[in-house]
Amino acid sequence: MPREEFDIVYDMLVLAPDHIKERLTLLNCDRYIMVSSAEIYEECHIGIREEEYNAERENWAYCGYEGASYKIRKRYAESALVTDFKDIPSIRVRFPVVLSSEDYTKRIVWYVEHIINRIPMYINNMKEKLAFISSEDSGAFLERLCDLDGGTFQLFREHKAINAAGEGILSPAEICQQIETLSGERAIYSNPMLFTPDVDEAPFNGCRTYSLDTSAAKQTGFTFMRNEEYLMSILKKHINHV
């Protein structure tokens, strides 16, 4: 059976190395752009650079959904791409949490619903600052990679992986404060000393302060939105629908 031919393939659904094998044994393409994740990095800190995870050095194996965490499956998927299919021109784009008014994960909506409905929240990282990117920027940046001419694409292929993130980092405390300001309601927090399994844990619990170095991404001429401004716009929409 002949392989299908494509100029560019965007793969936003790669969740395991098996997916890489399934796709790239069935098609040929001039460019393969894989959507990866900032979760592949081992350490959380300000200014994480792409080289802090080297997929070419990963001791990986093909695996599906069972028996491996999201972090490991994403790492293995990247490694499968750059080792087993290294002849295919590719870039791996590493996004943090994507902020969207249509977010199917409902993570930001969780905070909105709990504050407006006065449901106690258990948050264990109020002051930790996290990286985000708007859904508009994530899509526009992927499109920007499509628009690069062949020579420039090859230049950026030298990075093999590129971080993409909005300007500024946000803490759960800041998210809650913005919701309080916009809604007029006050958040209710559970006392961690009284924590029980039936208390609602916040979606970003356990996350520590980090940001992504986006120097390589900005070399394409792309300008990222400020996360605080974009968060305000989507919070207004969520609040009006709760």
Side-chain angles (χ1 to χ4, degrees):
M1 181 178 179
R3 289 183 170 188
E4 292 189 80
E5 300 282 344
F6 298 93
D7 294 329
I8 298 174
V9 171
Y10 287 104
D11 202 335
M12 304 181 189
L13 301 175
V14 174
L15 296 175
D18 296 48
H19 295 165
I20 293 290
K21 183 178 181 180
E22 290 165 3
R23 286 137 166 87
L24 296 183
T25 54
L26 295 175
L27 58 85
N28 287 322
C29 58
D30 295 332
R31 300 180 186 181
Y32 180 83
I33 300 174
M34 172 187 168
V35 173
S36 189
S37 169
E39 288 199 34
I40 65 165
Y41 294 115
E42 195 64 42
E43 301 293 334
C44 289
H45 62 83
I46 298 297
I48 297 174
R49 298 180 62 83
E50 289 88 348
E51 58 265 29
E52 292 185 40
Y53 173 64
N54 188 333
E56 293 176 324
R57 296 179 181 176
E58 180 69 73
N59 184 20
W60 65 278
Y62 282 114
C63 66
Y65 291 102
E66 298 181 2
S69 66
Y70 177 81
K71 175 195 287 284
I72 293 300
R73 286 187 278 114
K74 275 291 193 181
R75 282 185 163 205
Y76 284 6
E78 283 203 18
S79 187
L81 175 61
V82 299
T83 55
D84 279 24
F85 300 95
K86 58 186 177 182
D87 293 334
I88 296 177
S90 65
I91 290 180
R92 291 156 286 136
V93 184
R94 295 169 179 167
F95 289 133
V97 172
V98 178
L99 292 174
S100 172
S101 58
E102 307 297 334
D103 179 20
Y104 71 93
T105 68
K106 305 297 184 183
R107 285 175 286 190
I108 294 298
V109 174
W110 186 95
Y111 293 92
V112 173
E113 291 178 341
H114 278 67
I115 292 175
I116 289 181
N117 295 320
R118 301 189 60 76
I119 302 171
M121 301 178 292
Y122 174 65
I123 302 176
N124 65 8
N125 59 350
M126 287 289 286
K127 296 183 179 180
E128 302 291 337
K129 298 259 189 172
L130 314 178
F132 297 90
I133 187 171
S134 71
S135 56
E136 283 86 345
D137 271 359
S138 62
F141 183 69
L142 292 174
E143 183 179 4
R144 177 64 180 146
L145 293 177
C146 170
D147 291 339
L148 297 178
D149 62 46
T152 307
F153 186 87
Q154 290 301 322
L155 173 65
F156 281 93
R157 191 189 174 200
E158 293 176 8
H159 292 282
K160 296 185 173 65
I162 297 182
N163 291 332
E167 294 292 335
I169 49 181
L170 299 167
S171 68
E174 291 169 321
I175 294 172
C176 292
Q177 287 165 6
Q178 284 199 15
I179 297 169
E180 289 179 322
T181 299
L182 292 170
S183 69
E185 298 290 347
R186 295 296 301 273
I188 300 175
Y189 301 104
S190 298
N191 186 335
M193 300 300 293
L194 302 176
F195 176 69
T196 59
D198 61 334
V199 173
D200 284 350
E201 289 196 67
F204 300 131
N205 272 8
C207 296
R208 299 303 175 216
T209 295
Y210 82 98
S211 67
L212 300 178
D213 184 304
T214 56
S215 301
K218 290 175 181 176
Q219 289 181 46
T220 66
F222 193 86
T223 300
F224 293 97
M225 296 182 194
R226 291 204 60 80
N227 281 322
E228 185 174 2
E229 295 173 3
Y230 186 74
L231 176 67
M232 185 72 75
S233 69
I234 67 171
L235 285 179
K236 290 178 181 177
K237 180 174 180 179
H238 289 322
I239 289 169
N240 289 334
H241 284 82
V242 172

